[in-house]
Amino acid sequence: MQNRRNGIYILTILSFITGLLTGRAFYFNLGYMFSALLLLSMFWAWASVRWLVITRRTRSRRAQVGRSFEEQFIIRNLAIIPKLWLEVRDESNLPGHVASHIVPALGARSQYDWQVKTRCAARGEFKLGPMTISSGDPFGLFYAQRRIEATARVIVYPQIAEINHFELPIGNISGGEAQRRRSHYITTNAAGVRDYVPGDSFNRIHWRSSARRDKLIVKEFEIDPLVDIWLFADFSSLSLVEASDIKRVGGTGPVIPNASGIPQSTEEYVAVVAASLAQHFINLDRALGFVAYTPNREIHQPERGSRQLTRILETLSVARSFSGYSLGQMLTLETPYFTRGTTLLIVTSSVDTSWVIEAQVLTRRGIRPMCVLIDPSTFNGGKSSDEMRGILQMANIPTVIVRYGDDIAAALAQRLI
């Protein structure tokens, strides 16, 4: 394009020089024609990327590893000047998402649309956009670009394995699925509040809630409660083991899989196991709390319901093993938040036995810890976990072992050791 435009410049100059030397009007007219061609081409290229509206629509700003993410693009020409061709370049960093497109001739007041469907392969928070629209004139002399800075975010949740069974240790507070029902009389186990209905006893009224909502609110009670479960996901940099050929978005972002299945990184296995367990307990209507240093401290107090699951999955989506705290230090910092009778479920790949001492301290406080150990010896260059398993067994901490390449649902369904 540059050489072609330089050729027109040279022909224009030669035409005017020849006209001056010969005095013939033909050469002046030829120079004027070349000048008009340059001006017309320049304006056409400039106008070809103006008076355009491009819209990108997504079904949801949330996706999940293994599922599809869909986008629809619509580009409209608002001008009466047709667009001979348009090149749309998308700068999204979602791995495998190729939304760039060549738009054919776009007539006056017309539109063109296309769809992009991408299988999500990596968890994380990704940017959609910006986009650059390029075009040119019919003679190929000028090239114009227009950048659209608008961006959006999409969160890709980690992969979740459907767990049919997971064995929990017996806690210090009685409880069970069969007895989990509302009581018509007052017990020591308050379960929530609801609106007052005629016949409710006045000693069940929760006066603070009634004052705040300006109507009578009463407390509900359970016969037999279930203990809270805290899920502790270890994203310490000291626990990270991964293959040497692992690649990340931007060098420090999400892991980009180079094959099917979960990447050979303990970070990814911790995220998948924690997400699978979170969904399992939420589906059982258990009160679930969550703690992780991702590397920022993230803590979600125990709650039930899909909203709690969404919070946990969003945290796990962006979790990275960059925290400088060891697992033992993290347990020490979070100990005050665990109440007596709590079941503490630790998901880690750490073979540093010092954290077991802190777990034993929790046991003496009436907290029941258990461990899902991501066996680092099955990853590239990971240390043997034999000593860790022996110490966990001597400390009477129930343990489930997950190895690289295991079926996560089957591994978590195995009996505790």
Side-chain angles (χ1 to χ4, degrees):
M1 184 175 292
Q2 181 68 35
N3 293 336
R4 189 179 304 173
R5 190 165 61 246
N6 290 338
I8 298 296
Y9 289 148
I10 293 173
L11 289 176
T12 303
I13 294 172
L14 290 176
S15 297
F16 283 119
I17 292 175
T18 305
L20 290 173
L21 294 176
T22 61
R24 299 183 59 179
F26 169 77
Y27 294 105
F28 285 105
N29 293 335
L30 191 61
Y32 295 144
M33 184 189 69
F34 286 134
S35 300
L37 176 63
L38 288 170
L39 292 175
L40 176 63
S41 298
M42 185 184 300
F43 173 77
W44 195 309
W46 175 86
S48 63
V49 293
R50 268 46 179 197
W51 302 293
L52 290 171
V53 174
I54 185 166
T55 305
R56 66 189 310 164
R57 297 174 180 170
T58 58
R59 290 189 176 183
S60 175
R61 294 293 172 83
R62 292 180 174 87
Q64 189 173 31
V65 172
R67 298 186 179 180
S68 295
F69 173 72
E70 296 183 15
E71 275 196 299
Q72 181 184 24
F73 294 82
I74 301 174
I75 187 166
R76 297 183 178 90
N77 180 16
L78 304 180
I80 60 174
I81 302 176
K83 316 297 183 184
L84 298 182
W85 60 273
L86 293 168
E87 180 185 6
V88 180
R89 292 185 181 180
D90 180 57
E91 299 177 24
S92 302
N93 63 354
L94 177 64
H97 189 59
V98 183
S100 300
H101 196 78
I102 299 296
V103 179
L106 194 61
R109 313 287 186 180
S110 61
Q111 70 177 37
Y112 177 85
D113 64 89
W114 71 96
Q115 291 185 340
V116 178
K117 188 174 182 180
T118 304
R119 183 180 180 276
C120 297
R123 65 182 174 90
E125 184 178 20
F126 301 99
K127 181 179 67 173
L128 301 178
M131 292 184 292
T132 302
I133 302 176
S134 306
S135 188
D137 64 281
F139 306 102
L141 298 179
F142 292 93
Y143 184 76
Q145 286 187 335
R146 180 184 172 192
R147 186 175 175 83
I148 300 175
E149 296 290 350
T151 60
R153 295 282 176 176
V154 58
I155 293 180
V156 180
Y157 294 156
Q159 180 180 338
I160 294 180
E162 296 292 336
I163 303 174
N164 297 320
H165 172 73
F166 183 79
E167 183 178 348
L168 282 175
I170 300 174
N172 294 323
I173 295 180
S174 61
E177 302 294 339
Q179 294 295 322
R180 181 159 179 75
R181 62 178 184 270
R182 300 299 188 205
S183 169
H184 294 290
Y185 52 86
I186 296 175
T187 71
T188 58
N189 310 313
V193 295
R194 60 171 172 81
D195 291 343
Y196 173 87
V197 296
D200 284 334
S201 174
F202 284 105
N203 60 358
R204 297 183 63 164
I205 295 176
H206 193 266
W207 295 107
R208 289 186 179 179
S209 298
S210 299
R212 185 168 59 252
R213 301 186 187 182
D214 198 22
K215 62 180 179 179
L216 288 178
I217 302 295
V218 297
K219 292 177 284 187
E220 284 196 298
F221 300 89
E222 290 177 344
I223 296 176
D224 191 15
L226 292 175
V227 297
D228 291 344
I229 299 173
W230 277 91
L231 188 58
F232 199 116
D234 176 21
F235 287 101
S236 170
S237 60
L238 305 175
S239 306
L240 177 64
V241 181
E242 60 186 14
S244 57
D245 60 346
I246 285 290
K247 295 181 180 179
R248 294 177 177 268
V249 176
T252 59
V255 174
I256 303 175
N258 54 11
S260 60
I262 307 173
Q264 194 175 359
S265 170
T266 56
E267 175 185 291
E268 295 301 309
Y269 269 75
V270 169
V272 172
V273 169
S276 303
L277 290 171
Q279 178 176 269
H280 176 69
F281 292 126
I282 292 295
N283 289 343
L284 293 178
D285 198 27
R286 299 294 296 266
L288 179 67
F290 179 82
V291 183
Y293 286 65
T294 63
N296 299 321
R297 177 179 178 268
E298 299 286 346
I299 181 168
H300 305 300
Q301 294 296 328
E303 285 189 25
R304 297 181 175 91
S306 58
R307 185 173 61 178
Q308 179 75 339
L309 178 61
T310 299
R311 293 194 195 103
I312 295 173
L313 292 179
E314 287 181 350
T315 301
L316 290 172
S317 297
V318 298
R320 301 288 175 267
S321 295
F322 297 150
S323 175
Y325 292 105
S326 67
L327 177 55
Q329 291 172 325
M330 290 188 284
L331 286 174
T332 302
L333 292 171
E334 302 304 328
T335 293
Y337 295 94
F338 305 140
T339 57
R340 185 176 181 83
T342 294
T343 297
L344 177 61
L345 184 53
I346 303 170
V347 183
T348 181
S349 59
S350 174
V351 292
D352 180 8
T353 57
S354 62
W355 70 264
V356 181
I357 299 174
E358 185 60 34
Q360 289 178 303
V361 173
L362 294 174
T363 303
R364 290 194 290 270
R365 291 185 51 222
I367 297 167
R368 184 64 166 167
M370 72 170 295
C371 177
V372 177
L373 181 62
I374 312 298
D375 190 349
S377 64
T378 60
F379 291 78
N380 184 44
K383 297 180 181 179
S384 173
S385 62
D386 293 340
E387 182 184 0
M388 172 59 72
R389 283 184 285 177
I391 291 177
L392 287 170
Q393 192 169 6
M394 288 189 296
N396 198 27
I397 297 178
T399 306
V400 174
I401 306 297
V402 177
R403 299 174 177 84
Y404 173 66
D406 278 355
D407 180 273
I408 299 298
L412 294 177
Q414 62 187 318
R415 292 183 61 85
L416 300 176
I417 60 173

